[in-house]
Amino acid sequence: MVAPAALRVVRCGGGSLHGARAVFSADSKQVGLGPGSFIPGGVYLLCASGDFVKMYSLATEETLRLMGGHADLVTGIQLNAHNHMQLYSSSLDGTIKLWDFMDGIPIKTFTVGSRLLALYVLASSEDSVFVVIPKSGERDTFQLVSVKLPKGAGQDLEAKELSVVLDGVDASPKHIAFGREGEYVASVKDVNLQVYFFKQKQLNRFSVSAVKTKSGNNQFSCVACHPTEDCIATGHADGKIRLWRNFCHKKEYTFSTLHWHHDIVMDLAFSVEGTSLLSGGVESVLVLWHNESDCQKDFLPRLGSPIEYISMASDGTLCCTLHTDNRITIINSNLRFSRSIQGLIKSADIKTGLVVDPRTKALVLNGEPGHLQFYSLQSDQQLFSLDIVQRQYIHQAGLNQIDLVKVAFSPQGKWLATVEEREEVTDPELQLKLWFYDEETQSFKLNTRINMPHEDHITDMCFRDMDELEDDSLVLVTAGRDCVFKVWVMVEDTDPEAQQSVSWSCDFVGSYHNYQATNCCFSEDGSLLAVSFEETVTVWDSVTWDLKCTFCHPPGKIRNICFGRLTCSKYLIGATDSGFLCCWNLLSCALEWSAHLNILVLQPDPLSEHIAAVSWLSKESSLFVFKPNEPRPIYIQRNFCREKIQLAAFVPRDEPETIGSEKYLWLRRSQLFFLTDTQELITLSMKSLEERLTPSSKQLAVEESLPVTPFSLLLGKHRHQQSQEDIDLGKVFLRNKRAQDSPAVKELLHTPAHVLPSASFLCPLFINSLLISKENKSAEEVADEVEMESEKTEDDSDEERDVTEMEQEDTSPVELLGEMTCKLSKSQEKELRKIRKMDFSWLSAF
Amino acid sequence: MGEFEVHRVRFFGLVPAGVRCLACQPRGGRLALARTDGAVEVYNFAANYFQEKVIPGHDARSVEALCWAAGERLFGAGLGGDITEYDLARLCVARSVDGCGGPIWSMAANRSGTQLAIGCEDGSVKLFQVVPGGIQFERNLDRRKGRILCLSWHPSDTHIAAGSIDVLRVFDVCSGQTIQRIMVNYHVHKVKRECIVWSIAFLSSGTIVTSDSFGRVQFWDWERGTLLESHTVSASAVLSLSVSEKEDSIIVGTSTGATYQFQLLPVKMGSLEKRWVRTKPFQHHTHDVRAVAHSSTALISGGLDAQLVIRPLMEKIQKKGYEAALRKFTFPHRRLVSCARKARLLLFQFSQHLELWRLGSTNETGKDGEVLPLCRMPEHLVQLKSKGPEHIYCSCVSPCGSWVAYSTASRFHLYRVQYEGDSVSVKKVPKVPKLLLPAYQLQFSADSGNLFVASARGSVHVLQLLEPGGCKHLHVLQPPSGCPEAVYLLAVSADGHWLAAVSGDWAIHVYNLKCFKHHCTVPMYSCAVTALAIHPITNNLVIAYSDQQLFEFSIPEKQYTAWSRTVQNCGLHKVWLERDSPITHITFNPKNPSHILLHDIYMFCVLDKSLPLPDNSALLMNQSTLKQLPETARQRQLHAFKICKKFQPLLFADLLDENCLVMVERPIMDIKTQLPLPIQQKKFGT
């Protein structure tokens, strides 16, 4: 494996995932694979996610495919109305791409030129799509244009035929909807609704009163059109839904109002028949309105977070809601919760920092309000969500609710400490909770709850990191803005009624010159505690709690501190807000070196001496990796990210990576993850994109959930016939089956035609797979081998690579032939010999 | 505008009666309204919904249904069991016929206006023929048990749909048989509850629309007896329903005070398939909406909270303006208060009694906007109860305060009130002359020597009041050409020389009182007169019309004054013309002859004729902005209309002396507290 020239910045989750409504893949006629197995319509869910289009399996909730290629945010995805296996996507980079999402390959790229803000595809318009683009020359005005997609041969095409449909539309994709059979288009902006009829070329404008009523403002927030009737539903900022009818008349239009939401209606969707209407908003409740009646409605409450988008499957069996915290909820047609797809949950503000759970190696951070999420980096899934605050969260803007602000794990992950507080200026409400990991229930159990552990906000919290020591020597330190740090220890619980044997109580309170304590951390061996008090770092003996020494680097206040590890444990690193990174020697109590850097994040690797520091300078984040014993950084990556890096964490690898380059040795044992201020999780990777994205397990998942194609049907039928012939043709069947299970055949059947090598090459392979080796005579043996084979399917990569290599060499058939004979003589000589000896009498059975 | 000492009177405890039923005149411009106390009112659409006629109620005569038949004839029926025809010229009951079926719950006239159907307590539907000079019983239709709460004729006059409890029935008018019976049940968990069909409408397409006590509006196919559509609009009962003449729109009223419109809309553009869609909800009322009506341009609803709400349909109105305003009428468009200026007394007219109050007084002075402490509280002097079931038509107190007169449908009363220190004695004047009753308006002359009684056929009786408590019939003033309608407004000049009388045909006749002769007729104007008064100095007659126009007519010169012509040439301010309530009283300031004081329910205005008229670009209600301007700028901004909206709703305003005003307010909240509690509704956020 060749080491790549540089580390790649890889976005691996989080961010604001959903730029547009999700799309259910259209089902291919809902045919069962065999008796009993039945796949409901819409097997996949496609989502715009940052620069990518994600494809989820509805059966397993897994991310099956990540289709990358756009250079900027994907703003719209729509199925091709004429080929349901294809998907259009539009992006801010000014291109529309047509994908074959089953294979994840871009078929065509149409370059439009200006930024595309929304995409609409109509079944009625054969070769054009509709996009929203900014009006040239004017800021913040947008227009809806229809783009004629040229029918060229090449992959990259220019789409230059634009015709303006509507002017003065809004940029949001939710503000435009196309009516029944594409007869009209409705667009809302502020307090105005415009409807354009394509056939009549008639534009009608309506508006609601602009005056702010006492119930809020009247502005439109979203629009949806009835699939079969002339009816437009609009959502408003005051929570009302208006159903417009008769809007083909300028004067005699009329509307009725549905009102349940107390805050802005975020999205609306009609059911496929149009008999019911779904609406969602901040309340996190999906409302189903029947027959457009104010009195008949059903609710699906407690969806967790505000609903951002609602989309319906084309057959109406499923609908999905995308939430502001990046969760996707799949809902059955009877308004029952079906499943939810959740990666990194986006919370309002990550106050806890990025913490790695030592037990599961999951990233732990704020999740749902008041919850702690455990996010598995490997599977991009939420492992679980721990309710810390344990209070009802009220979905309403402007309420001060208790939130989780700090979290710390004990070194083995046996204890979890959490701090929650209510943001109040005068009198903060604080609570420190200590949780014990219960092996039986495999979850954290509340052990101690301490009300008002500090008088003011808690700024930092850490456990003493001592691996070998006994459990009862565990120490927790909290630093508060009330100018003290407190040491908490476990004590035997004397209360006989207590259910647990230990609880936590305060052991020591330290302070320094009445300065606010801002950071705290333990040295690697746990003997020293460093606590920063504004400008000063104090070092304390962790046994006697004596103040040992102080460091400072005026005039800056200390922003971060950490101790060096392993060979560098004699150093203490601190970053100040005046833009200095300092390294003090604990033995000489002197400044070892300092560097002028505006460090935002300082993160030591727990498994090596390396320390990562992220600086923020003139709108670019830069990464520096260094060892404390040398002032020169080992690795610098300047401007690796446009966003501000908020947090970072080293996540230990399961097994050390083999790394060729000296430069990247620091990535050997741990992987570094960053969280930007848009809550996007990014990492540095040496692997290429494809390698990283398609682990073998996912590849398999794709194969298993392949859609029903005519070919696979034929295959299924064939199998069925065989099962009937099973009795009289037992042996032959088994062998046949073996042939079909052979990876070569499987590959042949499942590889798209355009990537297959030439038939002349495939033919011998295919024939070979059909042949029966003479050695295995007894049926049991054969069966054994079948099992073996199926176990080995994961190791089929050799075969795969062969195929791909062949594909590359396909260009020179002469050479190929020569090589092939050569190959045959070497690797398959044995087989050839076998063929010669083969008894072909079984062929008469066919 | 000038500063006044204002008596802010809030002790007039008037509670208007709730609206019981409404009837739009077919193809006509009138709306008949009946109140729960039996009063019947007629509003004229053409005259900006002016309350043109009022027939006061009667204790024994409740009105459950009203309908127009045979053109202009108005019939009412009620729980008394009688069918009543009203005389709209004389504003009284013309004749009454017993329905012979117990209390009558509903009545409907057929499309051609020749037949009336009534639905009775005993479950019978009876047909009456409308004949000249009355109605004649024709036949009984098939009778079943259960009161008939609502009735509707098919537009072809061949069938009648009747709604009862749990059931609606369709009768064939020719055979009188029940030909369809539809159960309108409601089942909850196998428990059957009584379902009352409150209102019904028969559409020409054969669809029957019902509204019931479970908040449903249902559409039935009467021939098959099947339910076509059902809309649940409310958790409480839907009490009333009305269909537009084109049958493309329906308005329903519910017991929560909300009204909803249903519209028949095409499902797709250009397709013939149409569906009823609930469109606009309105919440103008706080209590039961017992009656709704659908005119060609407006949705009209009346509720138990005494409000009549006229909500124009914007799409049916060609130009924005007076037509397009939402109107809410709670109070009558006429005066119920009269004032004795010299004695500082107020007479309040209730439906069955009068109250005489003495105003309080103060001896302190203060700055603009200050509330002065009273040294003498207002005093309730006398309460005069009218005997018998008839309600009071009109009342008046003389300027000196020693005479009080009122009239009911059949009786006229005159009282002599004497004040001796703090005690008050009331003495009925015996042997009042026989007059043509009822009287519609009473007016004392400025010197309290004469009483003018407005009467039917355009006549005005002049009575001379004699000390110590007697009266003599002096003369009957009548328009020279005769007039079928009753006089409803009177104005007398301060010098006792002139009398102006307005009759129901909106003609204004001016009489000379010195020689009891007809002096002249003010040129006819195509709108109803809402108020008029004669200037004490110039003897100019100032007339306010229901389209908010103002005219000044010089009586001595028998022509419009120059100022009036200027007003007509320049036109009044747009905002002034778009006001939705009529001027109900005009008075003058004798010390400032160029001032005209007028008021409606929502504002009090001092019209200064010496100042220029505002044009449409100027701010009409500019008093608050003027206050902030420096003196020089203020002079430039001044215009003739000085409007004060501080006192609302204003039932009466008058000038006691040159700088003392009396304002009679009746706050809506005070009325609300007198009403029964509305239906409890959960409101979000409470």
Side-chain angles (χ1 to χ4, degrees), chain A residues 228-230 251 254 256, chain B residues 263 267-269 275 278-279:
Chain A
T228 53
E229 296 174 9
D230 279 350
K251 222 170 149 61
T254 179
S256 55
Chain B
Q263 280 178 282
V267 167
K268 291 175 192 175
M269 194 172 47
R275 216 174 49 200
R278 183 183 73 73
T279 53

Side-chain angles (χ1 to χ4, degrees), chain B residues 231-243:
Chain B
H231 298 262
T232 306
V233 296
S234 171
S236 51
V238 182
L239 295 172
S240 46
L241 182 155
S242 175
V243 186

Side-chain angles (χ1 to χ4, degrees), chain B residues 58-76:
Chain B
H58 189 283
D59 273 356
R61 206 178 63 215
S62 81
V63 183
E64 286 291 317
L66 278 176
C67 62
W68 295 87
E72 303 248 310
R73 292 168 71 179
L74 180 65
F75 293 90

Side-chain angles (χ1 to χ4, degrees), chain A residues 180-181 183 197 200 228-230 245-246 248 251-258 262 292-296, chain B residues 231-235 261 263 265-270 275 277-281 314-318 684:
Chain A
R180 120 192 110 80
E181 291 137 31
E183 293 256 321
F197 293 89
Q200 290 82 359
T228 53
E229 296 174 9
D230 279 350
R245 285 185 179 269
N246 224 17
C248 50
K251 222 170 149 61
E252 292 188 354
Y253 72 92
T254 179
F255 60 80
S256 55
T257 313
L258 309 174
H262 77 255
E292 300 159 20
S293 161
D294 211 358
C295 294
Q296 299 170 317
Chain B
H231 298 262
T232 306
V233 296
S234 171
Q261 192 190 2
Q263 280 178 282
L265 297 175
V267 167
K268 291 175 192 175
M269 194 172 47
R275 216 174 49 200
V277 178
R278 183 183 73 73
T279 53
K280 295 175 201 110
M314 293 310 210
E315 65 266 23
K316 299 275 167 44
I317 292 165
Q318 297 312 316
F684 177 76

Side-chain angles (χ1 to χ4, degrees), chain A residues 462 477 485 520-522 527-531 538-540 542 545 563:
Chain A
C462 62
V477 173
F485 73 91
C520 61
C521 89
F522 274 102
S527 61
L528 288 176
L529 167 72
V531 183
T538 56
V539 181
W540 306 71
S542 74
W545 303 115
F563 279 98

Side-chain angles (χ1 to χ4, degrees), chain A residues 485 511-513 515-522 528-540 547-554 556-563 571-576 580 582-584 586 589 591 602:
Chain A
F485 73 91
S511 68
Y512 182 78
H513 286 279
Y515 288 134
Q516 291 186 352
T518 51
N519 290 288
C520 61
C521 89
F522 274 102
L528 288 176
L529 167 72
V531 183
S532 68
F533 288 94
E534 297 185 8
E535 294 182 1
T536 321
V537 183
T538 56
V539 181
W540 306 71
L547 179 61
K548 288 289 176 197
C549 59
T550 61
F551 302 105
C552 67
H553 193 278
K557 290 188 181 170
I558 302 295
R559 199 183 266 164
N560 299 301
I561 49 170
C562 70
F563 279 98
Y571 298 104
L572 175 68
I573 318 291
T576 69
F580 278 96
C582 313
C583 176
W584 292 285
L586 289 169
C589 291
L591 182 69
L602 193 65

